[in-house]
Amino acid sequence: MCGIVGIVGKEPVNQIIYDGLTVLQHRGQDAAGIVTIDEGKFRLRKANGLVRDVFQERHMQRLQGNMGIGHVRYPTAGSSSSAEAQPFYVNSPFGISLAHNGNLTNATELRAHLFKEARRHINTTSDSELLLNILAHELCESKLMELTADNMFSAVKRLHQNVRGAYAVVAVIIGHGMLAFRDPNGIRPLVLGERETDKGVEYMVASESVALDIDGFKLVRDVAPGEAVYITEAGELFTQQCFPNPKCVPCIFEYVYFARPDSKLNDISVYASRVKMGTYLGRKIKKEWSELDIDVVIPIPETSCDIALQIAHELDLPYRQGFVKNRYVGRTFIMPGQAQRKKSVRRKLNAIGEEFKGKNVLLVDDSIVRGTTSEQIIEMARDAGAKKVFFASAAPEIRFPNVYGIDMPSPNELIAYGREVDEVAALIGADELIYQSLEDLESAVKEQNPGIESFETSVFDGDYVTKDIDQAYLESLESTRKDNAKGKLSEPLENGLEMHNEEN
Ligand SMILES: O=P(O)(O)OC[C@H]1O[C@H](OP(=O)(O)OP(=O)(O)O)[C@H](O)[C@@H]1O
Ligand SMILES: NC(=O)CC[C@H](N)C(=O)O
Ligand SMILES: [Mg+2]
């Protein structure tokens, strides 16, 4: 999913970006990077690893300057090599560095176009490097050394005409300012914040509002789908809608799983939407499972906790934290490779025997994707002495690949693909299994902001909002990105490919 931040400040921004990235860590655990601008030069540090491991004190000291951007990566295109960690950099027509959350769906065409027409070399298999070069190419068109906000917005307009897919982007341009924009469907989130200081207003953009909170910035609003925001080095803010007919179709999976509950995205509290998911699922359980004798409701930490608590409330049953999560193990679903994901579940979660012994338990999770978590958790519940294990998922059956920045490239890896509910229940070992309906899930999120007409729900219904996804695309995605696909996982090189990087 990736997390991005960008700041135009009045004082050094290195620590603010670092703090912002640490609270966006749940969006990407594979690599992290920060770029700042110091006396007309980029300062860059990026590598594979968690934020706390990538940035040592010596790196932070070098990341000087009052403007900069940062990224945490969850790869969904190209490889996991450190060479594809972000931000990326180009040196013409200006020094530009860019960080991207999302995934482009016409990367093959863009690559050919950049090579043949724009005469630009792309050094990695990352779609984000493509996006940076498209932006640079469009900025070339203005043919002016004077880069005004209008030139900037014209470049974004042309970019929107050529690029397909999901992209929330932040970029810094040396000697000019910071540019941020969102794709015309607003699939990935991006918020704008500000902070008053003695020296003037500082601006920050981030994937989630929690990054603003942590750094003492006030949420101003979401960057609108198709809109671009430009803040000059001096701190002047310009905004413009850069697409003729934008739509707001945010990814619903942000609310189910990706975002932190204390974030607000598209004017929707993630927490409130999860509580509502619990209300709807609780009602469905009451209606359809009235004869089941459930003793206790138990969440599968961490994301499902708010949902499970509300289900317990609806059912008037006790809620118990029957699993303890090891706080030093990251999120399982966004780990690369099934072997690593499988191993992590057991390392991450452990059952408290008393909560299971002789009881009929209702386990609640936000979603079942590959079934890695549910299968092992049910086994753990039985080993701990549960009599019956019922399972509820706050998201509907996931049956279609994701093409917009979630690494679900292959339908064959999805446990509900080609299977009915009872078949999935048998596979994960549940006595009964219930899924939220898509209608209820959409209502749960939409109720927080009725202004949003629809959500990006392709993993549930196969309806891709960009309308450019055909069978051939899905087949090629599957062959290049399924687990163990050649080229997907590259071992980080000892020295990395860190052409513009600070030394270790
Ligand atoms: O069916 P699966 O393929 O296992 O994927 C779904 C599971 O993965 C996620 O948990 P994760 O451990 O990533 O993060 P969390 O601690 O935030 O719940 C999600 O919350 C589900 O528990
Ligand atoms: N999940 C994301 O947002 C990934 C961004 C980009 N497609 C990459 O793979 O680096
Ligand atoms: Mg989970």
Side-chain angles (χ1 to χ4, degrees), residues 267-280:
D267 228 1
I268 295 173
S269 147
V270 175
Y271 173 76
S273 73
R274 288 194 187 144
V275 171
K276 207 74 209 210
M277 287 173 212
T279 306
Y280 281 114

Side-chain angles (χ1 to χ4, degrees), residues 108-180:
T108 310
E109 294 83 343
L110 292 175
R111 197 172 287 276
H113 162 78
L114 280 170
F115 181 68
K116 285 202 207 111
E117 327 256 324
R119 312 300 298 266
R120 281 179 170 268
H121 168 71
I122 308 298
N123 210 49
T124 70
T125 49
S126 160
D127 59 337
S128 310
E129 192 188 5
L130 284 176
L131 192 58
L132 167 59
N133 279 273
I134 298 279
L135 177 65
H137 177 62
E138 295 306 345
L139 284 170
C140 262
E141 295 287 293
S142 69
K143 295 204 172 31
L144 294 167
M145 277 308 286
E146 258 322 297
L147 194 52
T148 62
D150 276 349
N151 301 142
M152 207 70 89
F153 294 142
S154 304
V156 176
K157 281 179 194 164
R158 289 190 293 272
L159 180 145
H160 282 329
Q161 294 305 327
N162 292 318
V163 172
R164 303 273 168 275
Y167 46 98
V169 173
V170 63
V172 273
I173 301 108
I174 285 219
H176 295 280
M178 181 174 86
L179 175 72

Side-chain angles (χ1 to χ4, degrees), residues 257 300-304 348 365-366 373:
Y257 168 69
I300 298 174
E302 180 166 341
T303 301
S304 71
K348 180 170 149 175
D365 211 346
D366 52 270
T373 309

Side-chain angles (χ1 to χ4, degrees), residues 2-65:
C2 296
I4 58 175
V5 296
I7 300 166
V8 180
K10 300 292 178 191
E11 289 191 344
V13 290
N14 47 4
Q15 191 61 44
I16 312 177
I17 298 178
Y18 179 95
D19 294 342
L21 291 182
T22 58
V23 288
L24 295 179
Q25 188 78 81
H26 60 283
R27 301 182 68 84
Q29 302 169 167
D30 268 46
I34 295 179
V35 159
T36 56
I37 297 177
D38 179 28
E39 297 180 353
K41 297 238 170 15
F42 281 126
R43 299 278 168 199
L44 167 64
R45 166 70 188 164
K46 61 177 180 176
N48 288 106
L50 298 174
V51 175
R52 64 163 186 254
D53 302 323
V54 168
F55 304 100
Q56 307 302 318
E57 205 176 324
R58 64 185 187 280
H59 303 121
M60 295 299 287
Q61 274 163 6
R62 285 195 288 256
L63 290 166
Q64 290 301 321

Side-chain angles (χ1 to χ4, degrees), residues 92-114:
S92 172
F94 305 93
I96 312 172
S97 181
L98 173 145
H100 161 223
N101 169 210
N103 211 58
L104 307 187
T105 53
N106 63 339
T108 310
E109 294 83 343
L110 292 175
R111 197 172 287 276
H113 162 78
L114 280 170

Side-chain angles (χ1 to χ4, degrees), residues 26 29 253 256-259 274 300-305 325 329-335 338 341 344-345 348-349 364-377 391 398 408 413-415 428:
H26 60 283
Q29 302 169 167
F253 216 64
V256 170
Y257 168 69
F258 271 106
R274 288 194 187 144
I300 298 174
E302 180 166 341
T303 301
S304 71
C305 294
K325 183 185 147 198
V329 177
R331 294 183 116 182
T332 318
F333 173 71
I334 59 172
M335 287 177 178
Q338 185 60 5
R341 287 191 288 262
S344 296
V345 175
K348 180 170 149 175
L349 297 167
V364 177
D365 211 346
D366 52 270
S367 57
I368 305 172
V369 184
R370 297 178 179 88
T372 323
T373 309
S374 41
E375 188 186 342
Q376 292 190 59
I377 283 287
F391 202 98
I398 294 173
M408 295 181 196
E413 290 169 10
L414 306 171
I415 196 164
I428 63 175

